[in-house]
Amino acid sequence: MDSQIHKIHQQLANKEITCTSLVQEKLDLLKQNTNNTVNSLLDTLALSLAAKVDAKIKKGETIGLLEGIPFGIKDVYMLQGTTATASSNLLKNYKSAYTATAIQKLLDAGAIPLAKENCDSFGHGSSSENTIFGAVKNAINPDLVGGGSSGGSAVNVAKDYTVFSIGGDTGGSVRQPAGYNHVYGLKPTYGRISRFGLMAYASSTDCVGPIAKSVEDIRIVLNVMSGKDIKDQTTYASAEINEDSILTSTEIKTVGYFKNFIESEAINPEIKTEFLATIEKIKAKGIVVKELDFFKSDILVSTYYTLAMAETASNLSRLDGSNYGNRIEDKSLKESYAITRSENFSEETKRRIVGGNQVLSQGFSDEIYLKGLALRDSISESFEKDFKEVDVILSPVTPNTPPKIGNSLKDPHAMYLSDAYTVGFSLGQLPTLTIPQGTETGLQITAAKNNDELVLKFANFLKDTI
């Protein structure tokens, strides 16, 4: 399998390269990069960890598979002693007091963090332009957006600045930038990986997700980060996914796709043509393909944003400059709260807070918020029915190709609609993987809850099929 992790591990173990030289090479690339992917370099920490790996190899000790492998971290995760800005003015000087569980597991496995990566502020966006550090530029065409909100993470992987990166996916924030930059990006089953230490956007759909250049590297990183965590009550114990188990996909007999996604007037004709050509190649392999009915895209988007805005309004209410953040003093405590939040939050973040507070307010909550909760239940029930008929669901990642930098900021509504094909799977809390094949912005493979292994199996099948 085309795994960078395995390749680098062998090079380190065979003393073909040193960990220090590898890390320094990546740090130099990150310093020189013009794609605006880095919020802060962790060079001192990275080089000290690399020296320890080299010392271990020199003594003839065995190193683990992830030991010495350089990776990036979306700047919404806690890493003790480093800044955690969320690409926001409010937290631009905030230092983490602890380390996120998922990141700690990678550190325990010996992986080496290189950078905190640029992203949409607090995860609010689909283009990685909503950031105090400037827009992330696409890895293939720098005139286009990098995708959001984990744009810096996806671009760093695509440009080989990191071997893998850890993004965060709430409504498509790993999958969409992975598609825009032609790499793999996984949103695992909700609860498979602990969210402790990830800045909360919408707690009911937030997921920790790896971005890498191969299915095998996704599998390795997923296994390390997975597991129950007493600090996150939504987590559960999950079985390890073996390397050999994802090389066969004989149990996948039936594939479904949503007819209304493909027949929508909003889809780019080229993406539609490429998707249908992929379906024909799958049929030619003897797999049954079924058209499925699903909720309309506008219902999915409005349901997701109703709930996500409500949750982010609640989650960000703690950020008023009192306990942490860039506090601005004014004539009274109330005025200090107001000006601190008004001046430090981005326009998009304020838009989501205002929208969230409105749908939660008296007179609106019954009509809007509770209806959104009921629709989410209906969406989950629809998925349960679908997965009695098919093994996996295939879909485009986005209805359109990446927009030019600046366009999304002019039209927030169009930005929200770019999530039309990702948010439904988030609401269903399902495992979904973007693969860099099938259309200009890739394909999504989705399976039933806790069937993350099946998603990886089908990804390997498609790698050799389309």
Side-chain angles (χ1 to χ4, degrees):
M1 299 179 77
D2 186 21
S3 163
Q4 288 192 64
I5 292 174
H6 281 293
K7 179 183 175 183
I8 292 170
H9 172 73
Q10 285 301 319
Q11 289 175 326
L12 289 170
N14 296 338
K15 300 181 182 178
E16 295 170 26
I17 59 172
T18 66
C19 189
T20 299
S21 64
L22 170 67
V23 166
Q24 188 62 64
E25 178 191 342
K26 299 293 186 187
L27 288 170
D28 290 343
L29 290 171
L30 287 164
K31 282 178 190 172
Q32 296 159 14
N33 101 83
T34 56
N35 292 76
N36 240 17
T37 60
V38 176
N39 290 357
S40 61
L41 270 183
L42 308 175
D43 43 2
T44 302
L45 172 62
L47 289 168
S48 67
L49 292 174
K52 291 177 183 177
V53 174
D54 284 334
K56 194 171 177 180
I57 293 169
K58 192 173 182 181
K59 290 178 187 174
E61 296 177 24
T62 303
I63 60 168
L65 186 55
L66 273 184
E67 211 158 344
I69 304 296
F71 74 103
I73 305 170
K74 182 180 180 179
D75 203 7
V76 290
Y77 288 94
M78 300 297 126
L79 176 58
Q80 189 173 23
T82 70
T83 54
T85 72
S87 295
S88 163
N89 261 322
L90 192 68
L91 297 177
K92 64 183 177 184
N93 298 314
Y94 177 69
K95 281 201 171 180
S96 308
Y98 62 97
T99 299
T101 297
I103 304 303
Q104 187 60 56
K105 287 186 172 187
L106 292 169
L107 296 176
D108 292 344
I112 297 178
L114 299 183
K116 302 298 288 293
E117 298 168 318
N118 199 358
C119 58
D120 282 308
S121 182
F122 295 105
H124 298 159
S126 305
S127 63
S128 288
E129 294 173 279
N130 176 38
T131 160
I132 62 169
F133 297 101
V136 174
K137 298 176 182 179
N138 190 283
I140 295 119
N141 181 350
D143 293 330
L144 307 179
V145 301
S149 59
S150 308
S153 303
V155 172
N156 279 341
V157 170
K159 300 283 284 185
D160 288 319
Y161 300 154
T162 60
V163 176
F164 67 91
S165 285
I166 305 304
D169 192 306
T170 305
S173 296
V174 160
R175 291 163 285 155
Q176 188 245 48
Y180 279 3
N181 294 283
H182 301 179
V183 291
Y184 291 87
L186 175 70
K187 184 199 83 64
T189 300
Y190 179 81
R192 186 183 181 99
I193 302 173
S194 172
R195 291 178 293 114
F196 179 76
L198 164 64
M199 292 185 201
Y201 165 17
S203 305
S204 67
T205 56
D206 284 346
C207 288
V208 178
I211 300 171
K213 276 194 161 180
S214 71
V215 180
E216 172 64 0
D217 287 350
I218 293 284
R219 180 196 71 84
I220 293 166
V221 177
L222 175 66
N223 277 339
V224 170
M225 293 193 297
S226 297
K228 191 160 181 61
D229 180 14
I230 60 170
K231 297 171 183 173
D232 178 359
Q233 294 303 306
T234 64
T235 55
Y236 63 92
S238 56
E240 186 168 297
I241 300 172
N242 296 320
E243 182 178 357
D244 291 342
S245 70
I246 65 169
L247 296 177
T248 57
S249 57
T250 50
E251 70 265 48
I252 300 172
K253 309 288 187 187
T254 312
V255 172
Y257 73 93
F258 295 129
K259 184 170 59 174
N260 60 303
F261 278 13
I262 305 308
E263 294 177 353
S264 167
E265 291 180 4
I267 193 170
N268 178 299
E270 193 173 329
I271 289 178
K272 177 178 179 176
T273 300
E274 290 170 344
F275 180 82
L276 291 174
T278 296
I279 290 297
E280 292 306 313
K281 289 175 183 176
I282 292 169
K283 285 180 181 176
K285 290 289 185 178
I287 292 176
V288 175
V289 176
K290 290 187 177 181
E291 291 182 344
L292 302 171
D293 293 317
F294 197 43
F295 293 80
K296 291 181 180 178
S297 297
D298 57 347
I299 293 175
L300 295 172
V301 171
S302 58
T303 301
Y304 167 76
Y305 276 103
T306 294
L307 300 179
M309 286 182 179
E311 290 183 38
T312 203
S314 177
N315 281 325
L316 294 188
S317 63
R318 73 195 78 175
L319 295 180
D320 55 22
S322 295
N323 295 315
Y324 35 69
N326 183 27
R327 182 181 178 88
I328 301 173
E329 297 290 349
D330 207 350
K331 52 185 176 286
S332 69
L333 183 63
K334 188 176 180 181
E335 291 297 320
S336 293
Y337 288 161
I339 195 168
T340 293
R341 289 166 68 81
S342 294
E343 293 295 320
N344 286 313
F345 281 139
S346 70
E347 291 304 309
E348 182 58 36
T349 294
K350 286 187 280 190
R351 188 180 292 118
R352 296 188 187 205
I353 291 172
V354 169
N357 283 327
Q358 182 171 3
V359 302
L360 290 172
S361 63
Q362 191 172 4
F364 286 95
S365 59
D366 288 357
E367 182 64 28
I368 303 175
Y369 180 66
L370 295 182
K371 188 179 284 185
L373 290 176
L375 273 166
R376 182 173 67 184
D377 290 342
S378 297
I379 289 165
S380 293
E381 289 167 11
S382 177
F383 281 129
E384 286 178 16
K385 176 175 67 72
D386 289 337
F387 284 116
K388 288 176 183 173
E389 292 187 43
V390 300
D391 299 309
V392 295
I393 293 172
L394 199 64
S395 59
V397 180
T398 61
N400 285 294
T401 53
K404 284 189 175 180
I405 290 173
N407 287 358
S408 295
L409 297 180
K410 296 173 191 169
D411 189 355
H413 185 249
M415 179 183 69
Y416 299 156
L417 290 175
S418 72
D419 297 334
Y421 296 167
T422 55
V423 293
F425 304 121
S426 296
L427 291 167
Q429 301 185 335
L430 306 175
T432 306
L433 174 71
T434 288
I435 64 169
Q437 293 172 275
T439 79
E440 177 61 28
T441 55
L443 293 171
Q444 278 181 116
I445 304 166
T446 305
K449 278 186 184 179
N450 307 325
N451 270 348
D452 302 61
E453 183 176 310
L454 202 62
V455 166
L456 301 183
K457 282 174 176 281
F458 198 60
N460 271 327
F461 167 78
L462 289 182
K463 186 160 62 77
D464 301 324
T465 302
I466 59 175

